[in-house]
Amino acid sequence: MVMRTRQSQRRRQVLSRERIVETAIELLDAGGEGALTVRALTERLSTGAGAIYHHVGNMNELGQAATETVIADALPWPVASGGGAGESGGAEEAGETGGAGETGKAGKAGKAGESGKAEGSGRAGKAGESGRAGKAGKAGGSGGPRERPEDRIRAVALGLYDAATEHSWLASRLAAQLTREPWGAVTPRIFESMGRPLRDLGVPRGDWFTTTSTLVHYVLGATSQNAQAADDVPGGAPPDTEEVRAAFLDTASRAWRDLDPEEYPFLHDIADQMRAHEDRAQFLAGIDLILAGVTASRPR
């Protein structure tokens, strides 16, 4: 009896909310939403359901905690900002402030790849290259004190993109929280991370919400599409392998070329481009298109 009591005490000492959340993330990564069950948790943690519910209220709360943990690791926080809450502050002024990952909680600033066009299938450039954002690394070194608002936006966008690529279950949870619970912990963090640098670009105050919402919806929509495409790969093959991706794009490209060229002349023209495109570069091209529109519509 004494031995069992000591073993139980040791289990209670080892078990923590953080460990439960980490295990939940592991289960979600391995098997998706359906893999996160009380039974799977108790087996993985060698404990009972009561001990788990002592640390988390219910499975929905655990799923939210897993989402919050991944986002906290993916996004720089707090986001440095140039202008005050009531000012829009130009990009040059904002560049004088700290980078996207300085101070605050540790977290990845995300991989910021090439900020140019999406032509070609090359991967993102290394940090430090002129005109490229490269890998931003963990918080505290995402670009230095003269980082531009545009670079901070790309770092946030790619942090979300890469997190959703690594955790296939994340995109659907982000979309659900945005539409069903925008007051939760995740949506405010995403909006704040996107909104501050957009404000520093000189977006008029009356357009802050619309502009930020447009960018956030693009990011979450693109990440959701990529995550869904990965889950739909037939035969259970790893969706991120070059062979699977190349075969899928080749099939789609040939299908477009087989369409009636008089009825679909545009698709014939871009069929080869679609086959050769790189998802991450295309994602960045979309960010740049939005930023170009923001810059062009700025009051001068």
Side-chain angles (χ1 to χ4, degrees):
M1 179 66 70
V2 174
M3 180 66 70
R4 290 181 181 176
T5 301
R6 289 177 179 173
Q7 289 175 346
S8 298
Q9 288 174 345
R10 282 197 293 270
R11 288 196 188 101
R12 283 197 295 269
Q13 290 171 355
V14 172
L15 191 65
S16 65
R17 179 181 174 86
E18 289 74 19
R19 187 182 170 203
I20 294 172
V21 172
E22 289 175 2
T23 303
I25 293 173
E26 292 172 1
L27 290 171
L28 287 166
D29 287 346
E33 292 282 353
L36 182 57
T37 64
V38 175
R39 180 176 180 178
L41 279 171
T42 56
E43 291 179 354
R44 181 73 67 91
L45 294 169
S46 299
T47 188
I52 292 175
Y53 287 130
H54 174 74
H55 293 281
V56 295
N58 52 54
M59 296 302 289
N60 182 56
E61 179 183 324
L62 179 57
Q64 291 179 344
T67 305
E68 293 167 15
T69 298
V70 171
I71 292 301
D73 191 45
L75 295 186
W77 189 265
V79 180
S81 179
E87 300 176 1
S88 55
E92 183 177 352
E93 177 186 355
E96 300 292 338
T97 67
E102 293 184 359
T103 73
K105 300 179 181 178
K108 294 179 183 177
K111 298 176 183 177
E114 296 184 12
S115 58
K117 296 180 179 179
E119 295 292 335
S121 58
R123 303 299 290 179
K126 295 181 179 179
E129 291 181 8
S130 175
R132 303 169 188 262
K135 285 188 178 181
K138 293 188 177 181
S142 61
R146 299 193 64 82
E147 189 177 40
R148 301 180 305 158
E150 296 95 324
D151 295 330
R152 302 203 318 263
I153 291 170
R154 292 187 187 100
V156 171
L158 281 167
L160 292 169
Y161 181 89
D162 290 335
T165 300
E166 182 179 355
H167 308 280
S168 61
W169 51 272
L170 181 63
S172 60
R173 280 198 166 265
L174 290 179
Q177 291 204 19
L178 176 64
T179 56
R180 300 174 189 171
E181 193 179 359
W183 52 82
V186 172
T187 301
R189 188 179 189 120
I190 293 175
F191 265 75
E192 189 72 19
S193 298
M194 285 289 192
R196 288 196 206 178
L198 278 171
R199 179 188 64 187
D200 294 339
L201 277 175
V203 175
R205 185 184 183 94
D207 296 333
W208 286 356
F209 174 75
T210 298
T211 305
T212 305
S213 295
T214 299
L215 188 54
V216 169
H217 279 87
Y218 165 74
V219 170
L220 296 187
T223 55
S224 295
Q225 180 180 352
N226 286 337
Q228 182 177 0
D231 289 339
D232 288 343
V233 172
D240 56 349
T241 63
E242 290 298 326
E243 293 80 6
V244 171
R245 182 178 183 278
F248 173 81
L249 293 178
D250 185 64
T251 299
S253 177
R254 283 188 283 106
W256 282 10
R257 287 197 304 268
D258 289 342
L259 294 171
D260 185 344
E262 294 186 0
E263 189 174 359
Y264 298 97
F266 179 73
L267 289 187
H268 273 259
D269 289 341
I270 66 171
D272 289 337
Q273 295 178 23
M274 186 270 286
R275 183 188 50 177
H277 88 279
E278 200 274 322
D279 291 336
R280 202 161 180 271
Q282 177 179 279
F283 174 75
L284 269 177
I287 296 293
D288 287 343
L289 285 172
I290 295 175
L291 292 178
V294 169
T295 302
S297 62
R298 221 168 34 186
R300 301 185 182 278

